Amino acid sequence: MNADGRTRLNQTPEWTALAKHREELAGTHLRELFAADPGRGEGYTLQVGDLYIDYSKHLVTDDTLRLLRELAAATDVFGLRDAMFRGEKINVTEDRAVLHTALRAARDAVIEVDGENVVPKVHAVLDKMSDFADRVRSGAWTGHTGKRIKNVVNIGIGGSDLGPAMAYEVLRSFTDRALTVRFVSNVDGADLHEATRDLDPAETLFIIASKTFTTIETITNATSARTWLLDGLEGDAKAVAKHFVALSTNAEKVAEFGIDTANMFEFWDWVGGRYSYDSAIGLSLMIAIGPDRFREMLDGFRLMDEHFRTAPAESNAPLLLGLLGLWYGNFHDAQSHAVLPYSHYLSRFTAYLQQLDMESNGKYVARDGRQVDWQTGPVVWGTPGTNGQHAYYQLIHQGTKLIPADFIGFAEPVAELSGELKAQHDLLMANFFAQTQALAFGKTAEEVRAEGVAEELVPHKTFQGNRPTTTVLAKELTPSALGQLIALYEHKVFVQGAVWNIDSFDQWGVELGKVLAKRVEPALTEGAEVPGLDASTKALVGTYRRLRGR
Ligand code: F6P
C-alpha cells in the first residue's frame, strides 16, 4: 500500500491480469489477429476531429484493451483528468494547478484557480497579442529608426523555444513569407551569431521568452542581443523599447532586465513551460501566421480537450494511446517510442515531443515520494520518416529491440505545392503506408524462398514483423490539425503519468545540472578552486583551461 492509500501499481489485480495476459498473447502474430478478424483494419480505428487514428497494427486484442482500460479505471485516470480541468492543484510537488487547457478555453468558459476565473485573463492576453501581431505584420509597429520590422528573433529555451520553433516550421506555408522568423536557444554564442549575422538591427524585433525570466541561457542571449542591437543603433538605449518584448510570468525580472512591462505578454504559473506554446509563448508564431490562424490552432487544441474530457474510455484517443504506450513499456520491456512524421514540415515535431514527454514522465519517484518499481516514461525519438527509412529503420525492422512507433501523415500536400512537387506526395505517402505494413506483417521465410532467394540468404531477408505502430492520418496540415495533434500528445502523456502515479508537471531533475554549471563556471574562467569537485571533472576542467591557453 502507498502512503496515499493506493496499492502499489504493480501489485494491483489489474496489473497482474495484464502481466498474465501478456504471457498468453506471447507468440500471437499480427498476421493471425488480422486473419481472425477481417474487420480489424476498420474496427480498430478512431476519428477525432480531423485525425483518423488506426491502432489495428498493435499487439492487442479486445481483451488487452479491456484490461488496459481496467487499469486506467483502477488508477482513476479520469478522476485526475477532471481534477486537472477543474483547476485543482494536481502538480503536487509545486502545489500548482495544471491548466494549459484554460489557454484554449472559449471566451465565456469559467475555470477557477483559487476562486478566480482565469479565462478573462487568458483572452485579455490573447487580444493584446493579436493587436501587437497585427501591428508588426502591417508595419504599424516600427523599429526605433522608423523602419518596418522584417525580422523576428525569439530567444528562449526548452518550453520557451521548442513549441513556437516547431509550430513555426509546421505552419510555414501559412506564414507571412516577407518576415524572417528565427529561434535562438543555445547559450553557445554561435546560435545568436548565426541568427543575427545577416540582419539589420533597425528591422529586428527580439522576443525574449522565459516563464521565469531567470534561465541563464536565455538571459545571457538576451543581454548579448541587446548589445548587438545597441551597437547597430548608435548605442541609443531608448531603442530597446521598440525592439524588445518579453513573454513571461515574472514582471519584476522583466523590468529588471530593462524591458518595459507594457511590452510584456503575460502567462501564469499554472502553465507548465512544456505546455505553454499556446500561451503568450506563441507570440512569434502568431506574428508569423497571424492571429486568425493562431486562433484556429487553439480551436484544434480545444476540440481534443473536449474529446479527452468527455469521450468514453472505449473511444477516448489520448487514453488509448497512453495505454498502448504503457502496454509496451511495462509489459514488453520496450524502452523507447519513435514518432515518425511523413511531412517535411513536421521536422521539429519529435524534438518538441521529447520535452513534452520526457520532461513530464522521466521520473522515478511516485507522487507519494516513494521510488517506483515499474518503468515510467520512454525515450522518445524520431525524425521525418522517409529520411529515417534510409538511416535507422533497419533496426526497427530487424533489430533486437521492440520499438513501438507513431506514423503521422496527411492526405493532401500543402496548398503551396504544385506540379511535380505536388505529385511527389503520393510517393511520400506510399512509403508511409508501406512501412507500417512491413513492420506489422513482415515477410516469411516461405515468401522469401518463393522469390528464389539463395537458402543462405533467407534468414537475412526474412522479416519477423509484429512491430507495432499507430497511424495518424489527417486530410490536411492545418493550424487546427496541429492543435489537435499536440493536445492528443499532451493528454496521452497525462494518462501515462496518471497511471504511473507520478507528477507529470514538475521537472526537478533538470535543476542539479543548472546548479553545478554555476559552480563550475568560475573554475573555467578564473581557475577558481571549486570545493568538492570530483577528480574526473577537475581533470577535464584543467584540460579545458590548458587547451584555451589559460
Ligand atoms: O529545463 C528546465 C526548464 O525549466 C523547462 O521546464 C523550461 O521549459 C525551460 O527550462 C525554460 O524555462 P523558462 O521559460 O523559465 O526560461
Side-chain angles (χ1 to χ4, degrees):
M1 186 77 78
N2 279 352
D4 63 3
R6 275 173 70 150
T7 306
R8 292 293 274 174
L9 178 61
N10 53 358
Q11 288 159 18
T12 59
E14 291 79 11
W15 185 279
T16 314
L18 277 161
K20 184 161 167 280
H21 176 69
R22 158 76 178 104
E23 295 300 318
E24 289 159 3
L25 218 58
T28 305
H29 200 285
L30 277 168
R31 282 192 288 260
E32 296 161 44
L33 296 178
F34 273 83
D37 175 9
R40 186 178 171 100
E42 284 187 358
Y44 276 37
T45 62
L46 289 174
Q47 180 79 46
V48 184
D50 294 317
L51 309 183
Y52 177 83
I53 302 171
D54 174 348
Y55 58 98
S56 63
K57 295 189 184 84
H58 277 286
L59 308 173
V60 294
T61 63
D62 286 350
D63 281 341
T64 323
L65 297 172
R66 180 181 48 78
L67 291 169
L68 285 166
R69 285 195 299 270
E70 284 172 12
L71 182 69
T75 50
D76 198 22
V77 172
F78 281 174
L80 194 68
R81 171 200 67 185
D82 295 343
M84 172 176 76
F85 276 96
R86 274 198 305 270
E88 286 177 28
K89 297 191 174 170
I90 64 162
N91 176 354
V92 285
T93 70
E94 295 181 313
D95 193 28
R96 286 179 181 168
V98 174
L99 270 180
H100 41 280
T101 51
L103 298 170
R104 51 264 190 163
R107 218 175 258 278
D108 58 358
V110 177
I111 303 170
E112 292 189 348
V113 176
D114 294 330
E116 185 200 0
N117 180 14
V118 297
V119 179
K121 297 204 286 195
V122 167
H123 281 272
V125 173
L126 270 174
D127 292 343
K128 183 176 167 183
M129 288 166 66
S130 302
D131 177 58
F132 181 73
D134 278 338
R135 282 195 285 155
V136 173
R137 286 164 64 85
S138 69
W141 177 282
T142 57
H144 181 59
T145 65
K147 276 190 167 180
R148 189 180 178 134
I149 295 296
K150 290 191 183 153
N151 318 306
V152 176
V153 180
N154 185 85
I155 297 180
I157 198 164
S160 299
D161 164 73
L162 288 163
M166 173 276 294
Y168 172 70
E169 288 303 327
V170 174
L171 300 176
R172 220 171 229 271
S173 73
F174 296 91
T175 59
D176 179 345
R177 300 286 191 170
L179 283 169
T180 297
V181 182
R182 292 182 181 159
F183 296 85
V184 171
S185 55
N186 200 327
V187 74
D188 183 340
D191 199 359
L192 185 63
H193 168 68
E194 290 297 335
T196 53
R197 57 183 288 282
D198 56 347
L199 303 185
D200 176 355
E203 298 175 343
T204 303
L205 174 73
F206 287 100
I207 298 182
I208 312 304
S210 177
K211 179 175 168 180
T212 55
F213 233 75
T214 57
T215 304
I216 191 143
E217 292 89 340
T218 300
I219 301 307
T220 305
N221 273 325
T223 306
S224 299
R226 187 172 51 193
T227 304
W228 176 85
L229 180 92
L230 296 183
D231 284 353
L233 295 177
E234 294 163 359
D236 189 347
K238 288 208 285 299
V240 171
K242 299 294 273 180
H243 292 269
F244 274 74
V245 299
L247 321 175
S248 189
T249 59
N250 192 341
E252 206 178 301
K253 289 280 174 195
V254 168
E256 212 174 276
F257 179 84
I259 297 177
D260 186 346
T261 47
N263 295 337
M264 168 176 157
F265 299 83
E266 193 191 0
F267 61 114
W268 308 273
D269 72 0
W270 39 263
V271 183
R274 53 193 174 273
Y275 297 86
S276 69
Y277 97 76
D278 50 341
S279 70
I281 290 294
L283 183 64
S284 53
L285 174 69
M286 189 192 266
I287 293 172
I289 64 174
D292 292 346
R293 295 296 196 187
F294 193 88
R295 285 173 197 266
E296 283 171 31
M297 184 185 75
L298 296 183
D299 292 345
F301 273 97
R302 185 162 67 242
L303 183 153
M304 189 58 71
D305 291 345
E306 281 311 288
H307 166 80
F308 180 49
R309 202 174 60 80
T310 59
E314 291 74 14
S315 56
N316 194 303
L319 182 78
L320 176 76
L321 296 193
L323 292 175
L324 286 170
L326 196 138
W327 175 231
Y328 299 113
N330 294 114
F331 299 96
H332 292 74
D333 298 326
Q335 296 288 316
S336 79
H337 184 95
V339 180
L340 307 166
Y342 278 65
S343 164
H344 180 69
Y345 291 105
L346 268 72
S347 59
R348 299 292 312 275
F349 188 73
T350 311
Y352 168 79
L353 288 187
Q354 283 181 323
Q355 188 199 16
L356 177 66
D357 200 323
M358 294 164 78
E359 198 165 81
S360 294
N361 285 344
K363 317 271 163 78
Y364 63 72
V365 177
R367 292 159 72 91
D368 64 2
R370 291 172 63 192
Q371 207 159 316
V372 300
D373 40 23
W374 47 90
Q375 288 288 311
T376 60
V379 175
V380 176
W381 62 282
T383 53
T386 34
N387 297 352
Q389 282 173 219
H390 296 274
Y392 50 76
Y393 272 40
Q394 166 65 35
L395 188 147
I396 308 182
H397 281 288
Q398 287 189 317
T400 52
K401 294 170 177 61
L402 180 75
I403 302 178
D406 296 349
F407 280 66
I408 302 168
F410 301 89
E412 298 280 354
V414 300
E416 261 182 13
L417 298 189
S418 60
E420 286 178 358
L421 298 185
K422 186 173 180 182
Q424 285 177 211
H425 193 71
D426 287 331
L427 179 57
L428 170 72
M429 293 307 283
N431 276 282
F432 176 77
F433 297 119
Q435 288 297 325
T436 58
Q437 187 191 358
L439 287 164
F441 305 111
K443 194 172 183 183
T444 63
E446 291 67 42
E447 286 166 339
V448 177
R449 279 194 195 99
E451 288 174 356
V453 170
E455 193 55 34
E456 68 271 21
L457 286 182
V458 168
H460 298 282
K461 296 198 169 190
T462 300
F463 288 68
Q464 287 172 337
N466 237 17
R467 267 68 171 164
T469 57
T470 302
T471 297
V472 180
L473 181 63
K475 180 170 160 49
E476 278 174 284
L477 179 46
T478 59
S480 173
L482 174 64
Q484 293 169 42
L485 260 180
I486 297 296
L488 174 66
Y489 279 99
E490 285 179 346
H491 298 319
K492 172 200 160 175
V493 166
F494 174 91
V495 166
Q496 296 187 333
V499 175
W500 290 324
N501 197 24
I502 54 179
D503 185 338
S504 298
F505 302 100
D506 62 15
Q507 58 285 315
W508 300 109
V510 296
E511 292 305 318
L512 179 61
K514 291 187 196 174
V515 172
L516 293 184
K518 266 195 195 144
R519 208 183 291 164
V520 168
E521 202 196 355
L524 306 189
T525 50
E526 301 150 22
E529 196 59 43
V530 181
L533 201 62
D534 67 273
S536 163
T537 311
K538 198 172 185 171
L540 286 166
V541 167
T543 306
Y544 173 83
R545 282 183 58 78
R546 187 167 46 72
L547 291 172
R548 299 275 328 246
R550 290 180 180 157

